[in-house]
Amino acid sequence: MFMGVALPAQAQTQIPAWASERIRDWNVSHYDAQGHSQWNSRKWQQAPADDQRAEALARLRNASDRRAALWALTAWSTGSWAGEALKNGGADAALFLFQRGYRQSGADAYAYLGSPDRVERPWTHGLGLHLDRGAWRFQWIPSPALFTQTGSAALPKGMEAAAQPGVLIHLKQLRPGLEKLVALAGGTAAPTTGAPAAGIVPALAQGSRAGFAARHLEPWLKQASPALEPLANREAWLLHYGVERDGGRNLQGTLVFIPGDLPTRTQLMMSLLKLNPLSSGARSRVAKWTGPGASSDVQQLRGSGGVFHMIQRAEGTWISDREAPLRALLFSGPDPTLGERREWARVALSAMNPETELSFWLAPRIGADASFEIQALRRRGINAQQGTWPNPFVAKAAPRTGALSLALGAGPTEKLVDSILRVDDDSEFALPQLPDFANGGQNLTPEQRKNYQDALAKAQDRQRQRSALRQDATALQGCLDLRGAALFWNGWVTAPALNPSEKASLAELGRLRKEDPWRAMQAQRDGKISAFGGFGEPGMAPSLALALPVQGAKRVQVENLLKKLLPKLFKGQNQKQAFGSAEIHRLATAQAFRPAWSLVGDTLVLGTDEGAVKAVSAGLQGQAPTLADSPSNAWGRMELDGARASKELENLLLAFLRSRTSSGWWIGETTTEDEAAAELAFSLGPFLGAVKALGPVKIDWNWTAAGLEGRPR
């Protein structure tokens, strides 16, 4: 039995109305004994029970149908489908089964929740930014496998029903919090030059419409209103759902939650009307919304600038600038709710304290999901805790000459570095089969047999090369002492100039992205875009170096392994040069990414270019100032140039957002530069603004119940 985790009793649960509606419209196939689908176009109610069960199990593979399929399967005994559901439905199925008290047979009844210690990628499941008495504090929510302790924070009553947002904001006091949030990313006032206004709110209003709420509230920040003034010091939560994406859940918009009672709705609406400069011809009305299995009255403020939707409940008042987020709150649906992310909320909200004026959390699109929940539950169930120890010696590998330097202690570092070096795909190459070369005939011609033998020999040779490469990588990892690491980042490597053919290739990629994203992705994957080799665009490679201590007697073995590995991993010309008492090795490629490495004493330095490797080597040789120059008892210590780091991070994030139009994760998107900038403004604008405002600063990082917290000093 899990210790400290309340388990729900297993019982037959009524299927929610939204799931029943979706399941009722499914076309059900017939499945033979081998599980192959045989189309017969029957609706769910007309299909035999065996076909219904097989259809639900098959639909677990489809993310958009998975949650409804899990509910459909509750019509059968859990033991009859749990195993296949776990195979097809992944973390979502595991969490669904756990919430219904499912136990496996055997010594470990909850083994299906997975390993409590494996660090999965992506590592980041959330970022937090907190303002305490004028000082900013940073929060990183990583994989639960890195947690060092358990918190006890919980969501406010009523918020569990809201769909999981991309951004969650808590304001201790509404108006002061809004003022700080808006000012943080550049303010809202348009410059006197007549140029477009800069800052977070104009970007929001232009792109995602999340700025609609802020624009309506902006006049209130500048003038008083008797009806609205009682709200000035009220607590408030903002839930932002980002811009619309093809194939996404289409919940774009912003929800505002104000706990407790508010002034009468009519008085509040009239005051908003008077303050809103875009409300010409506006009116207020009550509309009845109907959803799966329920209906609700919603107060609407209609004006030329848009519509506010408002409901009042016992726990507080909800206001939305679009229908979709409020409908998801009123009528349960297929979207995960905050109540289904209790473990993530426990960690996120543990960073708040009585002095915190403003808290801002970002949950990346591929983070804060069911995999986070099941691993956190698993670790709490067995009371697993990760120890941490500072490592002051590795700080000498973190020079203070770049945009960012970071030195980490022992404990979670081992798991982090191990996850970087780990090989996840250990499958073998599929060897060619003789019938594939026969062209339908039974007797192979000499030419067909030769083609088969050549293809087989080539595949077997690739298999041998990959096996040898993995053996060398494993051997290298065994030579490292992972009880500490240092990281150095110095912006971007200058991109090489493109020749005419590369420019033409890049133009072709741009055309394909608009006309056929699949072909664009295939062209990149097959190496047909000769200019594409950096991050998101040609040459966009970071100047980055990682320093790892080497076990004392294995320095020569590490050097020999790297001389073998690098030429196998990358195509280029091997070069080396002396640098003080060390030697810098690099592979000169035709792109900005030119991997380099060096061994300085008992430390291995790996980098994306020789500039970063030289900077770390200089620190290790006493030729440059490092983080070891100032004492610190923190688990991790950092120094950054706030203005420069924020600008370089902005370039990185914009490149990522703009490059997603043809990535495997977001096929079919047509994100414009304006949309990318708008999403960045709301999602990470406050982070970048806080970093920029810090200037040159040192930050101490320590593990808490809220994950990893950083405090400037």
Side-chain angles (χ1 to χ4, degrees):
M1 175 67 68
F2 271 12
M3 296 180 293
V5 181
L7 292 177
Q10 186 171 351
Q12 184 71 23
T13 308
Q14 184 178 0
I15 298 177
W18 69 266
S20 295
E21 286 188 7
R22 177 166 292 192
I23 295 166
R24 188 168 57 243
D25 293 334
W26 283 350
N27 290 313
V28 179
S29 300
H30 173 69
Y31 293 83
D32 60 23
Q34 288 73 38
H36 299 138
S37 172
Q38 298 176 348
W39 177 251
N40 61 8
S41 188
R42 288 186 179 180
K43 288 295 184 181
W44 181 267
Q45 299 295 346
Q46 286 76 45
D50 287 346
D51 286 350
Q52 289 179 338
R53 179 179 173 279
E55 182 71 25
L57 286 169
R59 286 181 180 262
L60 288 174
R61 298 186 179 93
N62 186 344
S64 62
D65 287 332
R66 183 172 299 144
R67 293 166 65 83
L70 287 167
W71 279 110
L73 288 167
T74 59
W76 292 269
S77 63
T78 305
S80 68
W81 54 268
E84 196 165 351
L86 289 168
K87 181 172 63 177
N88 295 342
D92 288 304
L95 181 59
F96 188 86
L97 287 165
F98 177 83
Q99 289 169 339
R100 280 145 193 84
Y102 175 65
R103 297 168 62 94
Q104 280 182 330
S105 59
D108 188 353
Y110 300 98
Y112 66 89
L113 293 179
S115 169
D117 294 316
R118 181 179 172 89
V119 178
E120 298 290 357
R121 298 187 289 267
W123 308 314
T124 300
H125 290 264
L127 297 171
L129 178 64
H130 308 274
L131 183 63
D132 302 327
R133 295 180 177 177
W136 289 106
R137 174 168 45 90
F138 299 89
Q139 176 190 15
W140 179 47
I141 304 175
S143 165
L146 303 176
F147 287 176
T148 61
Q149 52 190 288
T150 301
S152 58
L155 287 165
K157 186 177 180 181
M159 284 185 61
E160 299 95 337
Q164 177 189 356
V167 174
L168 178 64
I169 301 174
H170 176 255
L171 306 177
K172 185 178 180 180
Q173 294 179 307
L174 181 55
R175 184 157 69 182
L178 283 172
E179 289 172 339
K180 290 182 174 68
L181 188 64
V182 171
L184 181 61
T188 63
T192 56
T193 59
I200 182 172
V201 173
L204 288 169
Q206 177 185 6
S208 68
R209 291 191 83 250
F212 175 64
R215 288 201 305 175
H216 278 64
L217 292 172
E218 183 184 352
W220 180 49
L221 301 179
K222 300 176 180 177
Q223 58 178 292
S225 164
L228 295 178
E229 208 57 27
L231 298 180
N233 297 322
R234 290 291 296 272
E235 176 190 16
W237 295 82
L238 278 68
L239 295 78
H240 177 64
Y241 295 91
V243 299
E244 183 175 358
R245 294 291 181 226
D246 291 343
R249 55 187 185 170
N250 295 331
L251 283 180
Q252 69 277 11
T254 302
L255 271 176
V256 179
F257 175 56
I258 302 176
D261 295 329
L262 282 184
T264 62
R265 285 186 294 181
T266 302
Q267 188 179 11
L268 176 62
M269 286 296 181
M270 293 307 295
S271 296
L272 283 170
L273 283 170
K274 292 176 182 177
L275 287 175
N276 180 12
L278 303 175
S279 61
S280 174
R283 64 188 186 276
S284 177
R285 73 173 188 182
V286 175
K288 182 176 285 296
W289 287 0
T290 302
S295 62
S296 179
D297 289 338
V298 178
Q299 183 94 14
Q300 292 182 323
L301 169 66
R302 302 177 60 83
S304 59
V307 181
F308 269 140
H309 313 277
M310 185 174 77
I311 63 168
Q312 287 183 303
R313 288 182 163 181
E315 65 271 7
T317 297
W318 292 89
I319 305 172
S320 180
D321 66 341
R322 280 200 168 185
E323 287 193 17
L326 190 58
R327 283 188 179 274
L329 173 81
L330 289 169
F331 314 113
S332 62
D335 301 300
T337 64
L338 275 173
E340 297 175 71
R341 300 294 180 254
R342 293 180 187 275
E343 296 301 318
W344 183 87
R346 183 193 307 274
V347 178
L349 272 59
S350 291
M352 292 174 57
N353 57 54
E355 292 78 33
T356 304
E357 305 167 43
L358 183 154
S359 292
F360 181 105
W361 294 274
L362 168 70
R365 292 182 185 277
I366 49 179
D369 57 8
S371 63
F372 182 97
E373 296 296 306
I374 62 173
Q375 189 173 46
L377 286 166
R378 177 81 161 144
R379 290 181 64 80
R380 284 206 299 124
I382 62 175
N383 197 27
Q385 301 293 335
Q386 170 67 61
T388 63
W389 307 271
N391 185 346
F393 303 102
V394 80
K396 62 184 179 182
R400 300 164 53 196
T401 53
L404 180 150
S405 293
L406 177 66
L408 305 176
T413 310
E414 288 94 316
K415 291 182 179 179
L416 275 171
V417 178
D418 177 72
S419 69
I420 296 173
L421 302 176
R422 183 181 70 223
V423 175
D424 285 331
D425 181 9
D426 56 359
S427 60
E428 298 293 339
F429 282 117
L431 297 178
Q433 301 298 311
L434 190 60
D436 297 339
F437 292 80
N439 294 329
Q442 296 187 2
N443 297 319
L444 270 70
T445 66
E447 183 180 2
Q448 289 172 337
R449 183 171 294 278
K450 182 179 183 304
N451 290 339
Y452 164 70
Q453 291 172 343
D454 290 345
L456 181 63
K458 184 177 180 180
Q460 289 173 336
D461 183 58
R462 288 186 65 196
Q463 203 169 73
R464 284 191 294 269
Q465 290 181 23
R466 186 166 72 168
S467 177
L469 185 67
R470 287 178 174 172
Q471 289 176 4
D472 290 341
T474 301
L476 176 62
Q477 187 172 355
C479 296
L480 301 175
D481 181 353
L482 301 181
R483 292 174 296 179
L487 189 72
F488 174 82
W489 178 49
N490 198 30
W492 299 96
V493 181
T494 303
L498 301 181
N499 59 41
S501 64
E502 289 173 332
K503 290 180 180 179
S505 179
L506 191 61
E508 173 67 9
L509 174 63
R511 184 186 67 80
L512 280 177
R513 280 179 167 175
K514 295 179 180 179
E515 297 179 1
D516 192 337
W518 276 107
R519 285 181 59 201
M521 184 184 71
Q522 290 174 335
Q524 292 173 216
R525 183 191 61 192
D526 298 339
K528 295 180 180 178
I529 308 299
S530 59
F532 190 88
F535 182 89
E537 57 189 54
M540 198 164 187
S543 181
L544 188 70
L546 175 68
L548 299 167
V550 175
Q551 295 182 26
K554 298 186 177 181
R555 187 181 189 281
V556 175
Q557 185 180 354
V558 169
E559 185 173 4
N560 292 334
L561 284 168
L562 282 167
K563 288 178 179 178
K564 287 173 58 180
L565 275 169
L566 228 63
K568 292 180 181 179
L569 292 170
F570 308 104
K571 292 182 180 180
Q573 180 182 1
N574 279 304
Q575 299 174 342
K576 64 179 181 180
Q577 68 177 105
F579 187 78
S581 60
E583 195 171 58
I584 307 293
H585 300 257
R586 80 165 184 179
L587 208 64
T589 68
Q591 299 165 350
F593 177 69
R594 298 185 173 187
W597 62 275
S598 181
L599 276 164
V600 186
D602 61 352
T603 304
L604 169 64
V605 186
L606 298 168
T608 57
D609 77 308
E610 71 274 14
V613 174
K614 285 181 178 179
V616 175
S617 299
L620 286 166
Q621 296 180 71
Q623 300 170 359
T626 69
L627 295 183
D629 296 339
S630 57
S632 173
N633 295 322
W635 176 82
R637 57 177 92 173
M638 173 193 286
E639 181 169 300
L640 61 82
D641 180 340
R644 185 177 172 200
S646 65
K647 183 63 177 176
E648 299 291 8
L649 283 170
E650 182 179 343
N651 291 335
L652 164 69
L653 294 163
L654 281 173
F656 173 66
L657 289 169
R658 291 166 181 167
S659 69
R660 292 187 305 175
T661 54
S662 58
S663 74
W665 287 95
W666 291 278
I667 281 296
E669 288 188 6
T670 55
T671 307
T672 66
E673 292 192 6
D674 287 343
E675 287 174 338
E679 183 170 353
L680 174 63
F682 200 93
S683 296
L684 280 166
F687 283 95
L688 297 176
V691 170
K692 182 178 181 180
L694 288 173
V697 68
K698 294 183 176 69
I699 300 177
D700 283 344
W701 292 89
N702 283 295
W703 289 95
T704 70
L708 191 61
E709 290 193 76
R711 298 176 182 270
R713 61 183 177 92

